[in-house]
Amino acid sequence: MIDYQIDDGLCVLRLDSPPVNAISLALLAELRAAVRRAGSDPQARAIVITGGPSHFSAGADLADFRATRTAADAQRMARTFQEAFAELEDCEKPVLAALAGKVLGGALELALACHQRIAAEGSQFGMPEVKLGINPGAGGTQRLPRLVGLPAALGLLLWGQSISAPSALKIGLVDRVCPGEALLDTARELLASSPLRRKTRERTDMIQDRPANSASLAQAESTVAASRPEIIAPRTILTAVRTGVEDSFDAGLAAERDGFCQCMATRATQNKFYVFEALRQAAKIDLPDATAEPTIARVAVIGMGTMGTGIVQALITAAIPVVAFDENPAALERGVAKIRASLAGRVAQGKLSDARAAEILDRLTLATDLRQMAGADLVIEAVFEDLAVKRSTLSLAEEICSAESIIASNTSTISLDRLAEGMRHPQRLLGLHFFNPAQHMPLVEVIHREATPPGLAAALLRFAKRIGKKPIPVKNREGFLVNRLLIPYLKEAFWLLEAGVEPEPIDRAMVQFGFAMGPFVLIDMAGLDILVLTDAVLRGAFPHHGGPPEIAVRLVQQGHLGQKTGSGVYRYEKGSHQPQPNPVAAGIIAEVRQGRRSFASPMSEGEITERLVLRMVNEAFSVLEEGLCQRPSDLDVAMVLGTGLADFRGGVVKYASDLGLEHVRARLTALSADCGPRYAPGKLLENPQSLIPNPFFPS
Ligand code: T1G
């Protein structure tokens, strides 16, 4: 794990623990021993600590966290890192960190404890701990402010974003930037010219301006005040930083350890770790060897509506040549104009160069003649969500493209078996369900049927990874994973309206629960017509879902489809996405309530949350019972990536597991008595063992 080399008076210690040089406690102990050895090695005038070209290190080994069962374990872990890095800092010989690739979390803290730092071009520096719901535990909250000052340090610690090598040089995080291949030579030259042993912990020049410090801390307080109460890491970071600046380095270290322990004990942090792991698990798909797979080099997309346009942009941005077809030339123009505007926006933000933007657009061919798609290896159908429209498009595509081509539908709900009826080669139809906006949303449901040859499913899963998406393999069934849960949830929200609850408290409750937006703001964005259409498909397959949500049906009948028509459940000023009360909707809601003899009757936030979230939970357990995904955590990953459900909830299945499945079953049974069979718990909940064990700190 630590490669020890003496090279002309320099002791080079190289972290060597693939794939990302994660710093396990074992590696840390080995590093400590190696530094001690170099410290007394007469051949070594100075020490260089380095790693691999793509990863100096991804930080502390998250696998070690699984063994963290108690607060004492967490204390011990943080103290071990802190003491190891303090010993390194006290080394009698100059220690220089030669950094390349990713330098994250505990790895950056290791570099901060070195006396000097140089970086290869292309390196990335970050303290992502806050994204895992923890504060750094290896001295980062103390050394970072002392090296780069409070504003830069708080930015890195509270947001967890990575910065580039030039930015790191600018804030003083590193002392030099050089080409990767010159890293060791630059280290040698710097150690020869200035063999410094400057201890970051003793530096005060960047934190001695007390009024400036107070101003930075006060500004950070307001940021932290806005963060979710469940996620305490921003607060513990601020407490540790403030203690270290206003009291002492050692007091700051103690506050850092305490904060680390408090974070580790929270459910929110446990769930963030669960989602981190679940995401990596989801990527592990048993794929047959690629030899049996068709190559996908050229792609055709049929339909340049909202989804088609987003899919085309995602593909050409991922270096895939695309032929985009739409029978309506105006739709083609609108689509390409949208892509141009989106790319121009990224150029304006400095995220893309003009040349790259032009390169991306060059990969796009617009077609008004279907025959132009003949050479495509993959044809993606992204036309309107209607069975007949999709079927005729699929059979047209079959006529045009070769028998070897894969045909994929971007349907969000319709069974592929129904879409394949009438196709000449139905076995080559799969689902490739992107999420809106497709150019940004990471999730893709890759849907396979009984008849799907494994090689085709594998080819699409690999293809989705190739274009930078997070694919989840799903067995074909109406609604697949996300919409199977989301549509009943949205429908239930409309039933709460009928029952007398107002839209605003329902939306507020779901934002409070952890969704990026409430159900009505979401459906206004996606379109109420989509809800009515997809619900019709699900009702056909799952009659126990109950009848159509009447308020939604009436709004659609009267043309209130949501943002795209300026009004849905809410009203929208031209060019604004800010929801305003919609008197028309209020009128329809009152009429439907009257018809149901129900009146405005408030419901507590807890009741609203239980009603909506347990509706998804029950559907989730049906999905697991039907074996539609490889593992329960895949369903959680799909809901977190596909619906904006916050990762601190872990996902719908994890949430139920945290509530306790006995309790969930009892609540569902009670709700089914009031609301009907859509809440009746399924077989999987009949003998509920804990489905997803808690990663650490058993409750
Ligand atoms: N520990 C253990 N394994 C890790 C790991 C880590 N920190 N980071 C990545 N892996 C594994 C990952 O599970 C996968 O394994 C493989 O590496 C490739 O990862 C004391 C407390 C580094 C940007 O939060 O953000 O330091 O699935 O598929 O897309 O204060 O992984 O192949 O078996 O994600 O190229 C802080 C977490 C730790 C960084 C690479 N560090 N990692 O992304 O590949 S806490 C982080 C990442 C800490 C100190 C504190 C990303 C990546 P497998 P990958 P990638």
Side-chain angles (χ1 to χ4, degrees):
M1 304 194 283
I2 300 290
D3 174 50
Y4 186 104
Q5 297 293 335
I6 294 292
D7 178 347
D8 186 13
L10 271 192
C11 175
V12 179
L13 302 178
R14 184 181 298 280
L15 306 185
D16 181 13
S17 176
V20 294
N21 283 342
I23 306 174
S24 61
L25 291 169
L27 186 146
L28 187 65
E30 215 179 292
L31 177 64
R32 223 171 160 169
V35 171
R36 279 195 200 128
R37 178 180 162 201
S40 55
D41 186 333
Q43 295 183 72
R45 290 192 311 280
I47 302 168
V48 173
I49 299 181
T50 191
S54 62
H55 293 91
F56 170 69
S57 165
D61 191 334
L62 300 177
D64 283 344
F65 286 73
R66 272 188 241 115
T68 313
R69 292 266 151 224
T70 64
D73 292 340
Q75 271 281 350
R76 194 175 317 110
M77 183 180 207
R79 190 184 289 280
T80 307
F81 269 90
Q82 290 177 349
E83 288 170 359
F85 292 171
E87 183 182 334
L88 171 78
E89 194 169 44
D90 289 339
C91 180
E92 292 301 318
K93 296 179 178 174
V95 183
L96 178 146
L99 311 163
K102 296 206 171 55
V103 186
L104 303 174
L108 183 50
E109 293 169 289
L110 164 58
L112 292 170
C114 295
H115 304 134
Q116 294 186 88
R117 287 147 293 279
I118 63 172
E121 284 151 8
S123 309
Q124 288 281 321
F125 301 83
M127 299 296 287
E129 285 87 342
V130 70
K131 292 185 186 169
L132 287 169
I134 54 175
N135 62 256
T141 62
Q142 304 309 306
R143 290 192 176 87
L144 201 53
R146 281 167 174 73
L147 191 65
V148 302
L150 268 179
L154 287 166
L156 283 165
L157 291 165
L158 290 174
W159 298 108
Q161 302 305 335
S162 289
I163 61 172
S164 66
S167 305
L169 183 66
K170 199 154 149 246
I171 63 171
L173 186 58
V174 297
D175 304 294
R176 286 266 184 93
V177 173
C178 64
E181 64 282 3
L183 202 56
L184 279 188
D185 292 346
T186 307
R188 181 182 301 285
E189 184 256 320
L190 185 57
L191 282 165
S193 60
S194 58
L196 298 179
R197 284 186 59 254
R198 196 170 42 190
K199 297 183 181 182
T200 309
R201 76 164 179 262
E202 291 169 357
R203 293 188 55 168
T204 57
D205 52 310
M206 297 299 283
I207 55 169
Q208 60 198 359
D209 181 339
R210 287 182 172 279
N213 292 348
S214 309
S216 301
L217 290 166
Q219 192 188 0
E221 277 297 353
S222 54
T223 311
V224 166
S227 64
R228 297 231 31 147
E230 299 87 351
I231 303 168
I232 65 170
R235 272 170 215 85
T236 60
I237 287 171
L238 203 49
T239 304
V241 169
R242 181 189 293 283
T243 309
V245 166
E246 295 176 352
D247 186 334
S248 72
F249 182 90
D250 289 340
L253 278 188
E256 183 183 274
R257 283 195 303 276
D258 294 347
F260 184 73
C261 294
Q262 290 157 26
C263 291
M264 294 287 281
T266 65
R267 176 73 73 191
T269 297
Q270 293 160 11
N271 285 342
K272 279 176 169 282
F273 272 82
Y274 161 76
V275 170
F276 179 91
E277 299 241 346
L279 262 171
R280 267 107 203 130
Q281 284 304 317
K284 292 204 169 74
I285 306 163
D286 310 336
L287 297 173
D289 68 49
T291 47
E293 279 166 39
T295 315
I296 302 177
R298 281 159 309 172
V299 177
V301 175
I302 307 178
M304 277 292 259
T306 308
M307 288 309 296
T309 301
I311 294 169
V312 166
Q313 182 172 345
L315 294 172
I316 57 177
T317 305
I320 307 287
V322 173
V323 178
F325 170 84
D326 198 301
E327 61 196 7
N328 168 1
L332 270 179
E333 284 317 313
R334 264 198 313 275
V336 82
K338 238 171 126 184
I339 295 174
R340 282 186 200 288
S342 169
L343 294 176
R346 291 176 58 72
V347 170
Q349 292 162 355
K351 291 185 180 155
L352 203 61
S353 66
D354 277 320
R356 239 269 324 103
E359 210 182 285
I360 290 171
L361 277 168
D362 282 350
R363 296 188 190 108
L364 176 57
T365 308
L366 301 180
T368 50
D369 178 340
L370 265 174
R371 279 171 298 210
Q372 288 174 268
M373 301 194 313
D377 307 308
L378 167 64
V379 177
I380 302 175
E381 165 277 302
V383 297
F384 187 63
E385 189 76 359
D386 173 83
L387 182 64
V389 175
K390 284 187 179 294
R391 275 194 179 149
S392 71
T393 305
L394 292 169
S395 44
L396 276 177
E398 265 213 310
E399 269 161 45
I400 300 294
C401 61
S402 73
E404 286 68 48
S405 307
I406 300 177
I407 298 182
S409 170
N410 180 56
T411 178
S412 69
T413 314
I414 301 172
S415 164
L416 299 179
D417 292 340
R418 301 215 54 210
L419 287 177
E421 286 161 17
M423 287 179 75
R424 275 184 289 127
H425 307 286
Q427 79 289 351
R428 61 166 161 184
L429 176 67
L430 292 93
L432 204 55
H433 178 215
F434 291 78
F435 288 78
N436 191 13
Q439 70 274 26
H440 298 312
M441 292 294 276
L443 181 69
V444 173
E445 291 178 321
V446 177
I447 301 115
H448 55 270
R449 309 167 48 230
E450 294 301 333
T452 301
L456 293 196
L460 270 196
L461 285 159
R462 248 185 263 278
F463 176 72
K465 280 190 178 181
R466 205 167 99 212
I467 61 172
K469 296 298 183 186
K470 304 275 185 204
I472 301 260
V474 185
K475 263 205 202 119
N476 178 49
R477 190 84 208 265
E478 284 76 0
F480 318 126
L481 298 186
V482 173
N483 274 352
R484 174 75 181 273
L485 275 61
L486 198 63
I487 302 302
Y489 155 82
L490 294 168
K491 206 169 153 182
E492 203 62 36
F494 277 94
W495 277 330
L496 287 180
L497 281 185
E498 287 183 17
V501 189
E502 295 309 317
E504 292 79 5
I506 295 173
D507 276 343
R508 260 198 315 278
M510 286 300 101
V511 171
Q512 194 48 37
F513 177 73
F515 280 103
M517 60 185 78
F520 299 121
V521 173
L522 175 67
I523 201 59
D524 272 357
M525 191 181 78
L528 277 86
D529 50 335
I530 302 294
L531 172 66
V532 172
L533 270 173
T534 46
D535 173 54
V537 173
L538 287 180
R539 280 203 320 271
F542 312 105
H544 69 283
H545 281 202
E550 192 175 344
I551 293 170
V553 171
R554 291 201 193 183
L555 282 167
V556 171
Q557 286 163 346
Q558 297 180 28
H560 299 278
L561 308 185
Q563 286 181 11
K564 56 187 168 189
T565 56
S567 71
V569 174
Y570 298 109
R571 192 177 48 75
Y572 300 84
E573 303 291 344
K574 202 160 175 33
S576 158
H577 296 318
Q578 191 54 39
Q580 311 285 342
N582 177 5
V584 176
I588 291 173
I589 293 169
E591 277 167 28
V592 171
R593 286 178 182 165
Q594 202 157 24
R596 297 234 180 294
R597 302 209 180 302
S598 63
F599 308 94
S601 56
M603 214 185 225
S604 73
E605 186 172 290
E607 288 169 311
I608 294 170
T609 304
E610 182 183 68
R611 180 80 178 261
L612 295 182
V613 176
L614 286 195
R615 180 70 193 89
M616 286 190 288
V617 165
N618 204 29
E619 215 54 40
F621 280 84
S622 302
V623 163
L624 298 180
E625 211 171 300
E626 294 157 29
L628 300 185
C629 54
Q630 291 191 106
R631 52 185 84 82
S633 59
D634 280 9
L635 184 49
D636 283 336
V637 166
M639 290 304 285
V640 167
L641 293 183
T643 71
L645 174 60
D647 62 356
F648 77 81
R649 288 289 179 205
V652 172
V653 180
K654 181 65 170 65
Y655 176 71
S657 188
D658 292 345
L659 281 178
L661 299 183
E662 287 288 351
H663 167 77
V664 166
R665 193 162 64 97
R667 292 304 309 140
L668 283 172
T669 307
L671 283 164
S672 64
D674 298 345
C675 307
R678 63 187 186 276
Y679 280 98
K683 291 200 198 61
L684 209 51
L685 280 165
E686 259 149 32
N687 46 16
Q689 299 81 28
S690 178
L691 202 66
I692 297 185
N694 231 330
F696 43 70
F697 279 66
S699 45

